[in-house]
Amino acid sequence: MQKGSIAVIGAGKWGQALHFALSQKQKCYITSRTKKDIENFVDLKTAMDCEYLIIAIPAQEIRSWLKENFIFKGQKILVASKGIEATTGEFLNEIYANFIPSENVGFISGPSFAAEVIKGLPCALVINSTSKKLYESFQPFFPNFIKTYYSVDVIGAEIAGAYKNVLAIASGICEGLQLGKNAQASLIARGLVEMQRFGKYFGAKKSSFLGLSGAGDLFLTANSTMSRNFRVGLGLSQSKKLCVILEELGEVAEGVKTADAIDKLSKKYKIYTPIANEVKLILDGKNPKDSLKDLLKN
Ligand SMILES: NC(=O)C1=CN([C@@H]2O[C@H](COP(=O)(O)OP(=O)(O)OC[C@H]3O[C@@H](n4cnc5c(N)ncnc54)[C@H](OP(=O)(O)O)[C@@H]3O)[C@@H](O)[C@H]2O)C=CC1
Ligand SMILES: O=C(CO)COP(=O)(O)O
């Protein structure tokens, strides 16, 4: 392993933005399935030999990617993905735990559109890990335009980052149906309560949902067409087929599969998550106007 070296795995929008940010202070490698003309692009083997890895591939692809490519040699890992695995309902930390000791893994959360980070615009992120030492080892790599915080609440950050994508779809639907700002603000506020209720069941800290990981990322994503998930909601409000929406998007919208995961988990553990349940139904073809009526019922 190349001591002190760092690489990003996954050269999508977020991987490239993190690569830009982490290249400000030191050489940062990047690799991806598809070769890309990016500075310090290397093959997977070279990247995997680095001591510090940032993995920015879609949440639903992580388990198979780790199975096929990952050999633990003591690397320290930052997970940049946001989502819950739809096939199993497992959280990302549970998946990574099959391959890497928890003290070697951290999860990035917080309001961070890649399109702004790659321009060097300021933002604040949370590095969530059971190990503060892990946070302290990654923190120096971050540039001055990114303020980093540490939190031990991994599950809270994971659920916040995943759930907000589902709520962003709901908010995009609200916008697309032109229901007004009162409705959108009420939806986002109740969505925050719902996200926190869901997180509490799995042992998450309430404070995680009031901070950058929850409210911060939710307010960002649920109020902007820069969000892929918000744009999925806009498409659904125009009765576009999901496959057409995703084809046109051309990038991952994690809220689609995470809605399925949350729907399954909330039914399995009897957690009241009406907004996420309706998003799942709309993704399966329910008319959004009927969902609105059902959500408004007293
Ligand atoms: N975009 C953003 O603003 C932010 C995104 N995120 C999160 O980061 C994660 C990645 O999102 P983003 O980069 O935007 O998505 P993109 O759709 O832009 O890119 C996805 C990346 O994942 C790679 N990939 C896809 N499937 C596989 C696979 N099976 N094996 C290996 N690599 C694969 C692609 O590789 P290739 O292109 O080489 O085929 C591509 O580099 C998501 O969980 C997202 O929620 C978090 C914060 C901000
Ligand atoms: O997570 C993000 C911003 O923090 C990106 O949101 P989208 O995946 O909806 O574009």
Side-chain angles (χ1 to χ4, degrees), residues 16-66:
Q16 290 194 42
L18 286 168
H19 173 252
F20 166 80
L22 295 167
S23 299
Q24 299 311 300
K25 287 184 174 175
Q26 64 275 312
K27 175 184 271 196
C28 178
Y29 298 110
I30 185 165
T31 191
S32 205
R33 265 186 326 190
T34 316
K35 189 164 173 28
K36 292 187 170 97
D37 181 18
I38 306 168
E39 190 189 14
N40 294 319
F41 190 98
V42 294
D43 61 26
L44 180 61
K45 188 176 175 303
T46 306
M48 293 293 279
D49 201 38
C50 290
E51 182 178 3
Y52 297 90
L53 299 177
I54 296 85
I55 303 180
I57 64 176
Q60 307 302 324
E61 309 294 338
I62 286 172
R63 190 188 296 274
S64 56
W65 185 87
L66 288 169

Side-chain angles (χ1 to χ4, degrees), residues 132-152:
K132 187 163 188 187
K133 200 160 160 282
L134 188 280
Y135 163 74
E136 287 163 351
S137 63
F138 267 104
Q139 201 287 323
F141 286 111
F142 281 83
N144 299 334
F145 68 86
I146 297 182
K147 183 169 178 57
T148 62
Y149 293 83
Y150 169 68
S151 169
V152 71

Side-chain angles (χ1 to χ4, degrees), residues 2-286:
Q2 207 186 336
K3 290 297 275 178
S5 58
I6 186 166
V8 172
I9 295 175
K13 290 291 187 309
W14 192 212
Q16 290 194 42
L18 286 168
H19 173 252
F20 166 80
L22 295 167
S23 299
Q24 299 311 300
K25 287 184 174 175
Q26 64 275 312
K27 175 184 271 196
C28 178
Y29 298 110
I30 185 165
T31 191
S32 205
R33 265 186 326 190
T34 316
K35 189 164 173 28
K36 292 187 170 97
D37 181 18
I38 306 168
E39 190 189 14
N40 294 319
F41 190 98
V42 294
D43 61 26
L44 180 61
K45 188 176 175 303
T46 306
M48 293 293 279
D49 201 38
C50 290
E51 182 178 3
Y52 297 90
L53 299 177
I54 296 85
I55 303 180
I57 64 176
Q60 307 302 324
E61 309 294 338
I62 286 172
R63 190 188 296 274
S64 56
W65 185 87
L66 288 169
K67 264 187 197 152
E68 286 155 30
N69 302 290
F70 192 80
I71 300 162
F72 181 60
K73 297 181 280 190
Q75 303 98 321
K76 298 166 190 74
I77 312 283
L78 264 193
V79 179
S81 316
K82 295 175 179 176
I84 303 172
E85 189 177 59
T87 50
T88 62
E90 283 204 359
F91 298 111
L92 303 189
N93 74 81
E94 296 174 296
I95 298 171
Y96 274 93
N98 295 310
F99 301 87
I100 306 152
S102 63
E103 62 270 18
N104 276 58
V105 184
F107 294 79
I108 302 175
S109 62
S112 54
F113 282 140
E116 293 189 358
V117 170
I118 206 159
K119 289 182 200 162
L121 294 176
C123 76
L125 294 175
V126 189
I127 293 176
N128 307 270
S129 175
T130 55
S131 160
K132 187 163 188 187
K133 200 160 160 282
L134 188 280
Y135 163 74
E136 287 163 351
S137 63
F138 267 104
Q139 201 287 323
F141 286 111
F142 281 83
N144 299 334
F145 68 86
I146 297 182
K147 183 169 178 57
T148 62
Y149 293 83
Y150 169 68
S151 169
V152 71
D153 187 19
V154 169
I155 191 62
E158 268 212 68
I159 288 173
Y163 213 115
K164 64 90 185 173
N165 285 330
V166 179
L167 299 174
I169 292 174
S171 185
I173 293 169
C174 185
E175 177 99 353
L177 292 178
Q178 298 180 324
L179 299 177
K181 291 302 173 190
N182 294 348
Q184 194 167 34
S186 305
L187 176 74
I188 292 169
R190 291 307 303 168
L192 186 57
V193 171
E194 181 176 307
M195 177 204 284
Q196 192 270 326
R197 180 188 304 127
F198 183 84
K200 187 179 174 194
Y201 182 88
F202 296 99
K205 289 185 177 181
K206 189 167 188 174
S207 55
S208 297
F209 299 95
L210 296 177
L212 292 164
S213 305
D217 208 359
L218 173 60
F219 294 164
L220 175 85
T221 316
N223 284 298
S224 172
T225 52
M226 288 174 76
S227 157
R228 285 81 55 93
N229 291 283
F230 186 87
R231 298 204 300 271
V232 166
L234 286 176
L236 292 168
S237 73
Q238 292 147 17
S239 307
K240 275 187 178 178
K241 286 203 172 309
L242 182 59
C243 55
V244 172
I245 296 168
L246 296 177
E247 181 68 28
E248 288 172 355
L249 199 62
E251 298 171 37
V252 74
E254 293 277 19
V256 173
K257 294 281 189 182
T258 293
D260 189 19
I262 292 170
D263 186 65
K264 278 181 190 154
L265 289 168
S266 65
K267 287 174 177 152
K268 181 177 178 182
Y269 298 113
K270 298 182 176 38
I271 310 165
Y272 184 52
T273 57
I275 299 171
N277 298 137
E278 286 302 329
V279 170
K280 161 71 176 153
L281 288 170
I282 293 168
L283 287 165
D284 288 348
K286 181 174 179 180

